[in-house]
Amino acid sequence: MRFGHRSVILQLAAVLAVFCAEPQNVLAQAAAKAIVLAWDGTVPSFVREMLRDGKLPNLAKLIDGGASADEVKASFPSKTAPGFASLMTGGSPSVTGISGNRVPRAPRRDFTILDSLAGFSEAPLQAEPIWSVMTRAGKKVVISHIPAFAGELSDQTVRFSGYTLTAGRDGIITKRAIQTEPQGVWTESPASDAPPVEITFSVGETRFYGLLIDDPFDSQVGYDTLLIATARNAREIKAKLKPAPASAGGELFWSTPVAVTMAGQEAKIYFRLFDVRLDGTDFFLYYTRPARDLPLPEVEVAPGATVRTFIGNGASILYSQGAFGRTIPNGGSGGAEARYLETVVMAQHQLMETNRWAIEQLPWDLFLAYTPFPDEAEHIWRGYIDPTLSGYKSELAAQLRPFLERVYQSCDDHLGLLLAKRPAETVVALISDHGMEGMNRRVALNRVLQEGNLLTLDMQGKVDLSKTKGALSGDQQWLSPDQLH
Ligand SMILES: [Zn+2]
């Protein structure tokens, strides 16, 4: 089941205009600074229900002390890249040039319909973004992971661009990694009340050696600890993990960032041990997507590892594939959702740590922050929660709803952090790039074109333009037979 799109800007998108206004504007004089947080893909009806139930205390506080707008229409199509391009410039997609998450590559005469650029990061904005306006006015801006093309930035602007730093996929290590061959000899083998069980696995080009041990300092009898090292040497241990079921506050159980080599470049991952069988015959170890460190500006206080090492998303792909266990829609009892939720909270926590540091340590007049939630979780679950869809099952919806609410609450925590950290005379605004609604059918337009002999695929399954009269490409927004060549 997939999502559809309905557009909404949640709250106070107009603050962006306040800072573009004339200097004599009352609001511009009253507030010296602004923090704008974007929740990606927020569903307004769901927010209203949660507010009514008192489940979004920070947003409630923001609304109480300010202004809000319901059912504001976002740009069309209501997708992330066009949404942010419009929010950051005030222009519609026909003005910004960002008409989809991928857009046709320009100049059009030099490229075919099959050539496209990412609207988040590669396709230049055709309208001036807020940070350029601010810079011209002598203001300093921090752009924290906003998914829009930044262009050339002045040294008055700091940009974190975490989504360009991802270097691989996240993954799960389980009992297949346990060595059935005689295990290697460890230098300075760690103390254990039971014979250590060795595991080996690789992430990118980095080989890891793990030991399941019965920690003498842990009262738990049985294998209660996983040590992860980059060699069979206790001095090379990079993480010491205790198993804990997924829970609120679960970020306490995550490792600090561990270096791996991906295609010759250093990246970092976080480990989380969700489970170990006390007899050492199985375990469940998750690691985040390898990401290169955020290049942070030099400041007096060296930022901690969590500040630097980007995660950016929860484990929605692994969850959807069933790799976290049977999902609720497939008859599971919520264990898979709890694990997925913890990956969401950890990704949110990491974004918050970077913002906490940047707000305190960097000079700024405008601070633009972003979280990919609730969008990611809405993509997975909205189709089960929307009661207007045929096939809706209220029992299923009731089971999934608390998990989706917790995703929204992690967004509310993010907002709460920014509210708590705001200096005096700072406007805080919350925006969203688009909404979402359930959808239970998908129309494969290229297939229709193919069946009508208007589109032909080559041996590799790619569109053969020489035998094609029409095709949809990129993220399938545009159909332009006149531009085929
Ligand atoms: Zn979005």
Side-chain angles (χ1 to χ4, degrees):
M1 220 175 275
R2 295 293 290 183
F3 61 98
H5 306 284
R6 174 179 288 167
S7 309
V8 71
I9 299 169
L10 230 195
Q11 146 106 349
L12 259 186
V15 75
L16 290 167
V18 169
F19 283 84
C20 306
E22 295 296 307
Q24 61 266 32
N25 181 300
V26 177
L27 277 173
Q29 282 178 344
K33 293 167 180 268
I35 298 172
V36 181
L37 172 64
W39 291 2
D40 198 321
T42 307
V43 174
S45 57
F46 201 70
V47 166
R48 274 196 297 276
E49 288 165 20
M50 287 189 71
L51 282 169
R52 185 196 60 208
D53 297 342
K55 290 173 174 170
L56 297 172
N58 293 302
L59 180 55
K61 209 188 317 177
L62 186 67
I63 291 172
D64 276 353
S68 67
D70 279 337
E71 302 287 1
V72 180
K73 267 202 173 169
S75 52
F76 179 84
S78 76
K79 290 194 154 197
T80 302
F84 276 99
S86 292
L87 285 167
M88 295 299 126
T89 62
S92 66
S94 61
V95 175
T96 64
I98 309 301
S99 55
N101 284 344
R102 295 197 71 84
V103 300
R105 196 157 175 198
R108 295 294 300 130
R109 66 177 175 280
D110 294 342
F111 298 97
T112 74
I113 191 174
L114 302 179
D115 297 307
S116 66
L117 295 173
F120 313 105
S121 55
E122 294 170 342
L125 291 169
Q126 302 298 326
E128 192 176 43
I130 181 79
W131 48 85
S132 302
V133 179
M134 296 288 289
T135 301
R136 254 208 331 277
K139 304 283 188 186
K140 298 181 173 67
V141 185
V142 173
I143 311 168
S144 181
H145 309 298
I146 297 284
F149 184 81
E152 216 164 281
L153 298 173
S154 76
D155 49 12
Q156 301 295 293
T157 303
V158 172
R159 177 169 201 237
F160 307 137
S161 185
Y163 293 96
T164 65
L165 302 174
T166 303
R169 303 283 292 271
D170 54 352
I172 291 165
I173 309 291
T174 59
K175 65 181 171 190
R176 282 187 302 277
I178 293 174
Q179 291 304 289
T180 46
E181 320 265 298
Q183 58 191 51
V185 178
W186 279 64
T187 307
E188 302 188 31
S189 188
S192 176
D193 287 345
V197 175
E198 183 175 74
I199 68 170
T200 54
F201 61 95
S202 295
V203 178
E205 291 110 81
T206 302
R207 190 79 178 145
F208 285 107
Y209 302 88
L211 283 183
L212 287 169
I213 61 164
D214 181 0
D215 186 349
F217 300 102
D218 190 326
S219 59
Q220 173 71 54
V221 176
Y223 291 95
D224 53 28
T225 305
L226 174 61
L227 305 172
I228 298 175
T230 46
R232 288 188 170 104
N233 187 336
R235 288 170 188 265
E236 300 299 330
I237 291 170
K238 307 299 180 201
K240 178 179 182 177
L241 299 165
K242 297 281 183 184
S247 66
E251 70 263 22
L252 298 173
F253 294 96
W254 292 68
S255 75
T256 52
V258 174
V260 294
T261 305
M262 304 297 294
Q265 280 196 307
E266 183 181 278
K268 303 263 178 66
I269 57 178
Y270 296 82
F271 285 110
R272 171 68 165 94
L273 184 64
F274 281 112
D275 197 17
V276 167
R277 278 180 67 159
L278 288 175
D279 65 4
T281 56
D282 200 5
F283 62 96
F284 193 99
L285 177 67
Y286 170 74
Y287 62 88
T288 56
R289 284 189 306 196
R292 299 192 300 282
D293 273 354
L294 293 174
L296 299 179
E298 296 290 328
V299 288
E300 281 176 36
V301 182
T306 309
V307 171
R308 281 187 193 279
T309 303
F310 184 74
I311 302 173
N313 285 96
S316 65
I317 296 170
L318 290 168
Y319 163 79
S320 299
Q321 290 168 343
F324 276 1
R326 197 183 284 263
T327 63
I328 286 174
N330 283 324
S333 57
E337 283 73 17
R339 286 174 175 176
Y340 165 64
L341 182 69
E342 212 189 275
T343 67
V344 169
V345 171
M346 182 62 187
Q348 190 87 264
H349 169 73
Q350 195 284 323
L351 292 166
M352 289 164 67
E353 287 307 299
T354 302
N355 288 340
R356 182 200 303 277
W357 171 82
I359 282 181
E360 287 173 353
Q361 299 294 333
L362 301 178
W364 55 270
D365 301 293
L366 174 63
F367 195 103
L368 298 169
Y370 170 80
T371 173
F373 307 107
D375 179 272
E376 183 191 288
E378 284 282 5
H379 276 253
I380 310 174
W381 291 327
R382 178 56 47 187
Y384 299 107
I385 286 174
D386 190 334
T388 64
L389 287 183
S390 65
Y392 169 76
K393 297 191 183 73
S394 59
E395 207 174 292
L396 204 57
Q399 281 178 283
L400 287 170
R401 191 184 170 97
F403 292 102
L404 185 58
E405 287 188 348
R406 295 261 295 280
V407 174
Y408 276 78
Q409 283 167 335
S410 79
C411 295
D412 193 63
D413 289 344
H414 197 151
L415 176 62
L417 170 76
L418 302 182
L419 284 169
K421 288 282 161 196
R422 77 173 143 176
E425 295 181 355
T426 302
V427 169
V428 176
L430 181 66
I431 59 175
S432 186
D433 52 338
H434 58 83
M436 221 176 279
E437 67 180 14
M439 209 170 80
N440 58 3
R441 98 185 33 177
R442 202 174 218 189
V443 181
L445 290 172
N446 274 344
R447 177 59 62 89
V448 174
L449 292 168
Q450 200 183 346
E451 285 169 2
N453 293 321
L454 294 164
L455 184 155
T456 304
L457 299 181
D458 64 18
M459 300 292 277
Q460 281 89 47
K462 292 185 179 145
V463 176
D464 182 347
L465 290 176
S466 67
K467 297 175 186 156
T468 291
K469 294 198 174 72
L472 288 110
S473 185
D475 55 343
Q476 310 198 338
Q477 317 251 356
W478 13 281
L479 175 66
S480 52
D482 57 326
Q483 284 164 329
L484 295 169
H485 54 102

